[in-house]
Structure formats: C-alpha cells, structure tokens
Amino acid sequence: MVMFESCHTASEVAYVYRRMGIPVSVTLDRVAVIADPTVGAVAMPARLGRLVYPVLLEDSRCESVPILTHARSRHEEWVFLVGPAWGGQIGYRTLNSLRERGIRLLDSGQRVWLPMSDHPTGWRWISEPVEAKKKPSRTSVIAAARDLVGRAALSSAWT
C-alpha cells in the first residue's frame, strides 16, 4: 500500500494518520504519537518481533498489527503501536523481566516518531496501520512476547 504518495509536508502526513484515527502531533516537522492511556507502544528486538507478529495475527481480536522500525539502527528494534492495556498494572518484577529481554514499554508522554514517507530509509512500516481502533492491546503484545520468550528459555534448558 502506498500511504504517502501525495504527501509533501508533515501536516499532510498527519492528516493521513488522523483519518485512520491515530492521534498524531507535528513537532519539528516530524509526525509522532505521544503515548497515553489510549495509545502506546511496545518495543522489542526485531528477532522477537518477527515471532510475536504472527501470533497476534492469529488472535481474532487483532485485525491490524501496526509495527514500525528504523532502517539505520544498529540493533534493529520493532515498535508495536498498541491500544490500552486490560487487566491490572504490570508489576515491578515483570517490568524488570521484560527489560532484561530487550522489551520496552513506552510510558505516557513519550513520543513515537512515525514514518513520513513510503521510502524504506529512516522510519518505516513493517506492518502498516489500518485503523486506530483495530490495533492490539498492550496486554496482548506483552503476553505473546512473554510466552515466546518463556518457550525459548524452556527449550534451551533441555538442549
């Protein structure tokens, strides 16, 4: 899909995202989502993200799994745009366990820079958003990642 074919300015790109229901802001001629309780992000190593993505696609609640990455980063990381968490707050021990595995939760107020062109340099979409309401919950992404990391730990314990 070609999202930004007719866009020439950050405001035009922001308009495309807003039509999808993604609440973006324009800062320094860049488009970003500012994490809050309704929209956030979960970042993880690309290697893990490649395993999490199909699990989320199989989940009947996830109609769209928006994932972006930066083409030039030394340690490629996939950033999943997510909806609100369900259930209780994540405990300190769980947060530390996630961090040890390279999984980061973006806190309210943190910026997530979004792709502004269809060109594969800079920020780019691995999986483009379809509609803001159709993204996975933060809880679904974390649960899938924890399950996959847990399985990998178990399988390596037996080898």
Side-chain angles (χ1 to χ4, degrees):
M1 182 170 128
V2 181
M3 290 177 69
F4 308 115
E5 183 176 47
S6 63
C7 297
H8 302 288
T9 67
S11 295
E12 291 171 341
V13 171
Y15 176 78
V16 170
Y17 284 125
R18 288 181 186 128
R19 287 197 46 144
M20 283 186 239
I22 300 172
V24 297
S25 65
V26 178
T27 307
L28 303 172
D29 227 18
R30 293 289 327 256
V31 178
V33 167
I34 298 175
D36 66 21
T38 63
V39 64
V42 177
M44 65 187 69
R47 216 174 66 226
L48 178 57
R50 285 183 188 91
L51 299 173
V52 169
Y53 178 58
V55 170
L56 294 171
L57 286 177
E58 290 174 9
D59 186 340
S60 62
R61 294 170 292 191
C62 298
E63 294 181 45
S64 170
V65 183
I67 306 166
L68 57 133
T69 190
H70 194 277
R72 293 187 194 151
S73 59
R74 286 190 325 218
H75 305 289
E76 188 184 7
E77 188 174 59
W78 280 18
V79 179
F80 289 73
L81 281 188
V82 297
W86 38 268
Q89 253 191 313
I90 297 175
Y92 181 73
R93 198 182 278 159
T94 301
L95 282 173
N96 277 342
S97 174
L98 293 171
R99 266 189 233 118
E100 288 171 3
R101 288 159 176 81
I103 302 167
R104 298 180 302 114
L105 310 179
L106 276 70
D107 296 322
S108 282
Q110 286 186 291
R111 246 182 203 74
V112 179
W113 298 109
L114 298 180
M116 291 184 45
S117 116
D118 296 317
H119 199 273
T121 59
W123 286 102
R124 65 182 174 88
W125 287 108
I126 298 291
S127 173
E128 295 175 357
V130 175
E131 188 180 317
K133 294 177 186 168
K134 297 183 179 182
K135 63 190 173 301
S137 72
R138 184 178 78 173
T139 309
S140 297
V141 174
I142 293 168
R146 285 182 68 194
D147 184 47
L148 288 161
V149 167
R151 279 193 228 161
L154 283 176
S155 67
S156 66
W158 297 103
T159 56

